Amino acid sequence: MPRLAQPIALRRKTLLKLMDILYDKFREWIAKLSRAAETGREDYLRQVQNVAKESQDINKILTALPIQITEDLIPIIQQIIGSIAWLDANDEKFKAAASYDEENYNSVCRSMLRSVLLATTRHYNTAHLSSSFVLKLLIQAMEITSNLKVFVLDTKTETDLSTVMASNIHFLKKLQLFTYFFGCTDEVVEQLGLHCTDLRLLIIPHSSAVTDASVPHIIKLKKLIYVDILNTQVSCELYGMLLSESQNIENVHYLSRNHDTLGNISAENLSRIKIVTGYKTSIDTIVEKCPNITVLVMHHITADVSNMTALTRLTILRVSNGDYCTSNLNAAFQGMGHRLFELMLHNIKNLNIAHIITFCPCLENLGVERSTFSSDQNTLDPGNPHFKSVKFLRILETSENEVFLQHLRNYINLDTLQCDKVKEIDDSFVSETIRTGGLKNIANFLVVNAGDLTMRTVELLISNCHQLFTLGYLSRWSGLNPELISNINITVRTRNLDIQIL
């Protein structure tokens, strides 16, 4: 039977109830503020004060909840914060007051945001949130979320937030992962070095204001195991010094397509390196200097890479931009495919999927994106161990899918299927695959821009896939419309099914 929400768990029911309360209260605030903005400053000020008080009440309720509940609320909280950003950018009635009362407009937005910021929050990801206005409010509220261990800001903002970021970093003394794409500066890194001594991962790529001056401050962070400073102004020489002097950093990231990053580091310091990422990386150099790596990410392959078989601890391989035949990937898979746990291939020409299925019997994660398949494919036994081992499968924008999809029904233990622009996946395909047992363990069915997918597929998945947890993205299925999707949501909640509809 379809997976039910746990009957004793008030957890799921509590979450649903809280979702309704939060969304209803948020909509109520917006409606009242919009009306007040039209009637005048006095009425608007009264509503600002009401929202401030009710925001505090909401925050007290959320703060009193068990941490398991508040952690599960994070996606909802992020949606509400994203809604504030959308309103600020698009709703003229809501932000009308900003033109004559900017101080109170900022205050009420701050109140709404702080209503859902909790001291118990351990991680926060601002993915897809590019509003400088809301991000500034969020950063200024870091004293509330001082227990954060993970903070991710990976979108480009309209204005520079580095000064306010540098001024508030000292609140995050428990931080273990810090991500700041595009906008990080030497001043921010300096504050990290002074206050975030537990930091283990520092990811600040594409930040042109990070220079060699940051390196001494990064060196102070003794617990760092991973650093990404790609496309910053840190020179290869200073990067080499950072890796040479650090005792714990386990990754090397080629900073330049034309510079031998590994050449700046003495060989005796590289036995600890577990991850290598770069463009046009020399396999022979990696084998010589970093023999113990477990993860290899190659963004461009132009030469024979078969010598990677010498990397006896390699379990994760991600390769993009190359030719399967000229790079001799066949020989590489034949020699070390049995050790791979994850394989991601992007923009690879002449890919022979039969080789991967044959030589990679223990893969759990497999991704094929924007690649073309060789016409020379062998007939494969459906009982091949590879089909039982793969649990995560991603196929994105890949031509000649029929070569791959003829084997898809054999993946009997799939947990997650992600597909984009795979027209062969339609109602008939899903029906036949379910009939032959190919999706019996699916938990996450995430398909966009596919063939003709309708309510038939939704009903088949809900009725037959008892582990189903996430079903998406329905708004981009050709046979569904908003009304049908709304009905699906109602059905899921009425039947108390533990399924998220995206």
Side-chain angles (χ1 to χ4, degrees), residues 351-397:
L351 179 61
N352 192 313
I353 194 66
H355 289 165
I356 294 171
I357 293 170
T358 302
F359 299 135
C360 304
C362 301
L363 274 185
E364 289 195 16
N365 299 336
L366 173 62
V368 181
E369 305 175 11
R370 297 184 180 181
S371 297
T372 59
F373 292 109
S374 165
S375 58
D376 180 23
Q377 305 284 339
N378 301 324
T379 302
L380 295 169
D381 179 3
N384 190 296
H386 170 95
F387 294 125
K388 296 179 181 179
S389 67
V390 174
K391 294 180 173 60
F392 174 95
L393 181 61
R394 179 166 63 210
I395 313 171
L396 305 181
E397 300 183 43

Side-chain angles (χ1 to χ4, degrees), residues 93-141:
K93 287 180 66 178
F94 173 71
K95 65 178 185 176
S99 61
Y100 65 84
D101 197 348
E102 185 174 358
E103 181 179 347
N104 279 305
Y105 176 78
N106 292 344
S107 175
V108 76
C109 289
R110 186 181 302 111
S111 294
M112 290 191 295
L113 183 143
R114 290 183 177 224
S115 70
V116 292
L117 293 182
L118 309 174
T120 55
T121 303
R122 297 292 184 268
H123 57 91
Y124 195 85
N125 189 334
T126 65
H128 312 303
L129 182 61
S130 59
S131 167
S132 300
F133 172 68
V134 172
L135 283 170
K136 184 177 181 180
L137 295 180
L138 186 63
I139 295 167
Q140 288 173 332

Side-chain angles (χ1 to χ4, degrees), residues 36 39-49 100-101:
T39 57
R41 188 179 188 280
E42 185 176 342
D43 194 17
Y44 186 77
L45 180 57
R46 186 162 47 250
Q47 290 302 330
V48 167
Q49 293 169 342
Y100 65 84
D101 197 348

Side-chain angles (χ1 to χ4, degrees), residues 145-394:
T145 55
S146 58
N147 288 308
L148 277 181
K149 292 186 177 181
V150 175
F151 184 80
V152 177
L153 199 169
D154 59 2
T155 51
K156 183 174 286 188
T157 57
E158 303 156 359
T159 58
D160 182 9
L161 298 174
S162 61
T163 300
V164 67
M165 180 74 80
S167 300
N168 286 276
I169 283 291
H170 67 279
F171 289 114
L172 305 183
K173 291 182 171 61
K174 297 181 181 181
L175 205 60
Q176 294 182 7
L177 184 156
F178 181 72
T179 298
Y180 190 4
F181 280 49
F182 307 106
C184 195
T185 63
D186 290 334
E187 290 73 24
V188 172
V189 175
E190 181 179 3
Q191 292 301 309
L192 289 168
L194 289 171
H195 302 289
C196 303
T197 54
D198 285 337
L199 201 65
R200 295 172 62 81
L201 296 94
L202 177 63
I203 303 171
I204 50 175
H206 314 294
S207 297
S208 58
V210 173
T211 72
D212 285 348
S214 283
V215 172
H217 302 295
I218 298 175
I219 291 174
K220 290 179 184 178
L221 297 165
K222 301 301 182 183
K223 295 184 181 180
L224 273 183
I225 61 172
Y226 187 93
V227 176
D228 181 355
I229 49 176
L230 185 66
N231 294 328
T232 64
Q233 294 301 309
V234 175
S235 65
C236 290
E237 290 71 25
L238 265 290
Y239 182 55
M241 184 187 82
L242 168 64
L243 294 175
S244 296
E245 294 194 14
S246 168
Q247 300 300 311
N248 297 310
I249 293 177
E250 298 176 350
N251 75 300
V252 171
H253 206 141
Y254 276 50
L255 300 185
S256 168
R257 299 185 184 211
N258 303 312
H259 194 281
D260 181 14
T261 300
L262 289 173
N264 288 294
I265 316 164
S266 55
E268 60 268 23
N269 289 326
L270 298 183
S271 60
R272 71 178 189 278
I273 298 298
K274 296 180 181 179
I275 304 170
V276 172
T277 303
Y279 292 88
K280 297 184 179 179
T281 45
S282 166
I283 286 296
D284 292 339
T285 302
I286 293 171
V287 168
E288 176 188 353
K289 290 201 167 189
C290 306
N292 296 323
I293 65 170
T294 59
V295 179
L296 176 59
V297 182
M298 306 178 70
H299 291 304
H300 196 84
I301 52 174
T302 56
D304 190 322
V305 297
S306 59
N307 196 32
M308 72 170 66
T309 56
L311 299 169
T312 57
R313 299 187 182 184
L314 189 68
T315 58
I316 297 177
L317 176 63
R318 301 170 187 166
V319 182
S320 61
N321 303 310
D323 188 288
Y324 185 85
C325 298
T326 59
S327 60
N328 209 8
L329 275 168
N330 175 40
F333 291 139
Q334 189 169 6
M336 55 85 177
H338 62 283
R339 297 194 292 268
L340 291 181
F341 164 82
E342 177 179 308
L343 176 62
M344 296 291 158
L345 302 168
H346 177 88
N347 195 25
I348 302 297
K349 298 177 181 178
N350 301 311
L351 179 61
N352 192 313
I353 194 66
H355 289 165
I356 294 171
I357 293 170
T358 302
F359 299 135
C360 304
C362 301
L363 274 185
E364 289 195 16
N365 299 336
L366 173 62
V368 181
E369 305 175 11
R370 297 184 180 181
S371 297
T372 59
F373 292 109
S374 165
S375 58
D376 180 23
Q377 305 284 339
N378 301 324
T379 302
L380 295 169
D381 179 3
N384 190 296
H386 170 95
F387 294 125
K388 296 179 181 179
S389 67
V390 174
K391 294 180 173 60
F392 174 95
L393 181 61
R394 179 166 63 210

